[in-house]
């Protein structure tokens, strides 16, 4: 498994027997594992972003409702209020 700095843990030997491109099965497995971890982190961040967006939308709507209620209590109409 790789560390936070992206080290694969196994050195790549160019010109090794049976390895035309310099990567073996272990290196590909390590890269795939790192990509899976990155994908998982991105999925988690996307979920958090969606949750925050929904909460902010709720807050915005709540603030609008509160503003309208205050305007009604003060005898103003929404068209009288400055944006």
């Amino acid at each position: 498994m790789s560390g936070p700095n992206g080290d694969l843990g196994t050195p790549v030997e160019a010109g090794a027997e049976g390895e035309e491109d310099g990567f073996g099965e272990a290196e590909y497995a390590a890269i795939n594992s790192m990509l899976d971890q990155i994908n998982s982190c991105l999925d988690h961040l996307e979920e958090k972003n969606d949750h925050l967006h929904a909460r902010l939308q709720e807050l915005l709507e709540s603030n609008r409702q509160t503003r309208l209620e205050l305007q009604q209590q003060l005898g103003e109409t929404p068209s009288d209020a400055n944006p």
Side-chain angles (χ1 to χ4, degrees), residues 22-78:
F23 288 103
E25 296 280 332
E27 287 82 6
Y28 282 118
I31 291 169
N32 282 333
S33 176
M34 284 190 291
L35 290 173
D36 287 342
Q37 290 175 2
I38 291 169
N39 191 43
S40 177
C41 288
L42 289 174
D43 287 343
H44 182 71
L45 284 174
E46 185 176 9
E47 287 176 17
K48 289 180 92 172
N49 185 51
D50 290 345
H51 177 74
L52 286 172
H53 184 263
R55 295 292 306 248
L56 287 172
Q57 289 293 103
E58 291 171 9
L59 180 61
L60 179 62
E61 185 58 32
S62 173
N63 285 342
R64 285 181 181 151
Q65 289 297 325
T66 302
R67 183 174 44 91
L68 288 174
E69 290 171 9
L70 287 173
Q71 287 173 344
Q72 288 174 355
Q73 288 175 0
L74 296 173
E76 298 177 354
T77 61

